[in-house]
């Protein structure tokens, strides 16, 4: 019996045939010790016994045996019983394996559900307390709004917006010409509040799932005042253009990247074409690169608002007084004033001085 206890744990056993009566330690004691050890407790034990005393058979089952075979035994019967109990053992092992896998799956599922709940709570908190007006457009086009969106839509509470169709709140019209500088992932939208107020909005739209159904989250940025300012600036530029077009002197504006932003009528006549968008050094001075003596660079480097110098146009035999002004947006405004007449008078005066 002691030798069996030493040998059994060394290898994986599917079944143990154990003689009931052995020297030093009988089968009952060996079986008790096997069942007390978690490493061998699941191994089925079949007792071999020469007697059929009911007391021994009952005791054998009590200490953990699954069956007994009396000696002398029939080999076919022995093999049949062994195969049956090995089959039972494999079935129990498989059930135990499935049970553990199910427990692991349940644990992982619980973790996933917990993480999902935490994630949803975190998202709901972010959505609800976002400083930007945000809405969720559900699959049926109804709207869910956060606190900031309520004020934009002039709603007293969420119930006023809940169930409203998005088409009654947002106009999906084309982007206005004045608003071509939206973020690349944004869209121009007009919204109409419950009280009829119209606002210009920049909207960032993200597709995702809400309650396992397709939805769109829309984050708004009010650009009403910005568009008003841009329209006012356009009107202001238009008025300035009208004033400059009325100048007899040629005028053009060059951007910080040396592009012609504007030419008045006199400058277009001077160049012979509309050079808007062209490189100023090429259009005005017929050069292939930025002028080394560029007055624009002198203005920027010298931090001066304007400078004046004279230039002789050898092609037309004209004298120009050129005034350069650095504008607030970094552009340079240049005015060409024809002083040929005065130069000719000056020349005649100098001749007269030499005569006298």
């Amino acid at each position: 019996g002691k030798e069996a206890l030493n040998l059994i744990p060394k290898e994986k056993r599917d079944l143990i045939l154990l003689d009931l009566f052995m020297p030093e330690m009988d089968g009952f004691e060996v079986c008790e010790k096997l069942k007390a050890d978690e490493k061998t407790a699941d191994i089925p034990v079949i007792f071999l016994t020469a007697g059929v005393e009911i007391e021994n058979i009952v005791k054998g089952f009590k200490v953990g045996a699954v069956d007994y075979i009396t000696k002398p035994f029939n080999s076919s019967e022995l093999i049949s019983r062994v195969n049956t109990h090995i089959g039972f053992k494999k079935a129990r092992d498989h059930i135990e394996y499935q049970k553990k896998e199910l427990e692991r799956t349940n644990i992982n599922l619980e973790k996933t559900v917990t993480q999902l709940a935490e994630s949803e709570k975190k998202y709901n908190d972010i959505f609800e307390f976002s400083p930007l007006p945000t809405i969720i457009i559900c699959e049926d086009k109804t709207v869910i709004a956060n606190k900031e969106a309520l004020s934009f839509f002039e709603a007293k509470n969420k119930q006023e917006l809940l169930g409203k169709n998005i088409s009654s709140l947002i106009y999906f019209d084309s982007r206005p010409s004045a608003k071509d500088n939206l973020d690349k992932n944004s869209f121009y939208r007009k919204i109409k509040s419950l009280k009829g107020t119209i606002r210009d909005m920049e909207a960032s739209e993200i597709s995702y799932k809400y309650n396992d159904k397709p939805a769109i989250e829309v984050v708004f940025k009010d650009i009403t005042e910005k568009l008003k300012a841009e329209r006012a600036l356009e009107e202001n530029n238009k008025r300035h253009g009208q004033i400059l077009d009325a100048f007899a002197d040629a005028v053009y504006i060059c951007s910080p990247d040396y592009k012609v932003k504007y030419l008045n009528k006199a400058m277009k006549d001077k160049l012979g074409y509309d050079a808007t968008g062209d490189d100023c050094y090429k259009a005005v001075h017929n050069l292939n690169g930025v002028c080394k003596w560029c007055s624009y660079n002198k203005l920027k480097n010298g931090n001066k608002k304007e400078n004046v110098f004279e230039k002789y146009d050898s092609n037309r035999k004209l004298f120009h007084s050129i005034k350069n002004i650095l504008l607030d947006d970094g552009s340079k405004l240049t005015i060409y004033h024809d002083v040929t007449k005065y130069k000719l008078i000056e020349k005649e005066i100098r001749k007269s001085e030499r005569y006298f």
Side-chain angles (χ1 to χ4, degrees):
K2 290 183 178 180
E3 186 178 352
L5 286 176
N6 293 330
L7 290 174
I8 289 170
K10 292 182 179 180
E11 293 184 22
K12 186 177 179 181
R13 315 288 175 173
D14 292 322
L15 185 138
I16 298 172
L17 288 173
L18 189 61
D19 204 324
L20 194 57
F21 299 106
M22 297 178 292
E24 296 186 21
M25 187 183 295
D26 62 21
F28 296 123
E29 189 176 354
V30 172
C31 188
E32 283 181 331
K33 292 185 179 296
L34 289 173
K35 296 304 174 181
D37 188 342
E38 63 178 17
K39 293 180 181 179
T40 57
D42 293 333
I43 303 174
V45 176
I46 297 178
F47 277 133
L48 298 177
T49 176
V52 288
E53 292 83 356
I54 296 301
E55 292 180 0
N56 290 334
I57 293 172
V58 172
K59 186 177 179 181
F61 284 126
K62 284 184 177 180
V63 296
V66 296
D67 204 352
Y68 73 94
I69 299 174
T70 57
K71 295 188 287 186
F73 51 78
N74 180 281
S75 59
S76 297
E77 180 188 3
L78 176 63
I79 293 172
S80 178
R81 290 198 181 192
V82 167
N83 288 336
T84 298
H85 287 289
I86 288 177
F88 289 158
K89 170 69 165 54
K90 289 182 177 180
R92 285 196 303 273
D93 289 346
H94 183 65
I95 291 171
E96 188 64 28
Y97 170 78
Q98 288 182 321
K99 180 182 175 183
K100 289 180 180 179
E101 282 296 305
L102 184 60
E103 288 175 354
R104 279 195 291 268
T105 301
N106 287 338
I107 291 171
N108 292 333
L109 183 60
E110 287 176 3
K111 288 181 179 178
T112 302
V113 169
T114 301
Q115 290 171 354
L116 182 61
E118 291 174 353
S119 178
E120 286 181 352
K121 184 181 182 303
K122 188 181 293 184
Y123 168 78
N124 289 334
D125 289 343
I126 293 171
F127 170 76
E128 188 62 35
F129 299 105
S130 171
L132 295 174
T134 307
I135 64 172
I136 295 172
I137 305 174
C138 300
E139 189 178 23
D140 59 359
K141 305 301 182 185
T142 55
V143 174
I144 298 171
N146 72 348
K147 290 181 178 179
E148 286 297 319
L150 294 180
S151 62
F152 271 79
F153 288 104
E154 297 182 300
K156 295 179 182 178
N157 51 54
K158 291 188 176 184
Q159 296 304 316
E160 281 195 282
L161 279 179
L162 192 64
K164 284 282 185 182
N165 192 289
I166 191 63
S167 60
S168 66
L169 301 171
I170 300 180
Y171 301 132
F172 293 87
D173 57 356
S174 59
R175 181 185 300 178
S177 58
K179 196 66 190 83
D180 288 333
N181 58 337
L182 289 171
D183 292 340
K184 63 181 180 179
N185 294 322
S186 298
F187 304 90
Y188 171 78
R189 296 285 183 256
K190 274 185 178 291
I191 70 167
K192 181 180 180 181
S193 74
L194 298 181
K195 295 182 179 180
T197 306
I198 305 294
R199 286 188 175 92
D200 296 295
M201 307 296 290
E202 182 178 338
S204 299
E205 302 174 4
I206 303 170
S207 297
Y208 79 118
K209 285 188 177 292
Y210 180 78
N211 288 339
D212 292 328
K213 292 183 179 180
I216 298 174
E217 181 186 82
V218 186
V219 180
F220 292 109
K221 181 180 178 183
D222 193 346
I223 56 172
T224 305
E225 295 303 318
K226 186 178 180 181
L227 286 183
K228 284 182 181 177
E230 287 181 354
R231 293 184 190 112
L233 181 61
E234 281 188 355
E235 289 297 320
N236 194 40
N237 289 339
K238 186 178 179 181
R239 286 196 297 271
H240 287 170
Q242 290 171 345
I243 293 171
L244 293 176
D245 274 341
F247 271 29
D249 293 334
V251 179
Y252 78 94
I253 297 176
C254 175
S255 67
D257 58 351
Y258 305 101
K259 298 290 184 182
V260 177
K261 286 176 61 177
Y262 166 81
L263 306 97
N264 72 347
K265 185 177 182 303
M267 190 66 188
K268 292 175 185 177
D269 293 341
K270 173 178 169 62
L271 297 179
Y273 75 107
D274 185 352
T276 303
D278 290 355
D279 296 323
C280 65
Y281 50 80
K282 187 173 183 179
V284 179
H285 305 295
N286 198 26
L287 297 173
N288 292 323
V290 179
C291 315
K292 293 180 180 178
W293 42 267
C294 180
S295 57
Y296 187 19
N297 292 336
K298 291 180 180 178
L299 281 172
K300 289 191 294 184
N301 297 333
N303 294 321
K304 294 179 180 178
K305 285 293 180 183
E306 63 181 69
N307 65 4
V308 181
F309 66 96
E310 293 182 352
K311 181 182 178 183
Y312 178 65
D313 187 340
S314 58
N315 293 326
R316 301 188 182 188
K317 296 183 179 180
L318 298 174
F319 286 93
H320 288 117
S321 172
I322 302 176
K323 185 173 184 178
N324 295 298
I325 302 171
L326 190 64
L327 303 179
D328 290 340
D329 66 352
S331 300
K332 179 195 73 168
L333 182 145
T334 301
I335 303 172
Y336 282 83
H337 180 60
D338 188 351
V339 293
T340 306
K341 180 179 177 181
Y342 303 107
K343 283 293 181 180
L344 291 176
I345 293 173
E346 182 182 335
K347 185 177 180 181
E348 291 299 321
I349 291 173
R350 286 178 179 174
K351 280 184 180 180
S352 298
E353 288 176 345
R354 284 199 300 271
Y355 179 77
F356 289 106

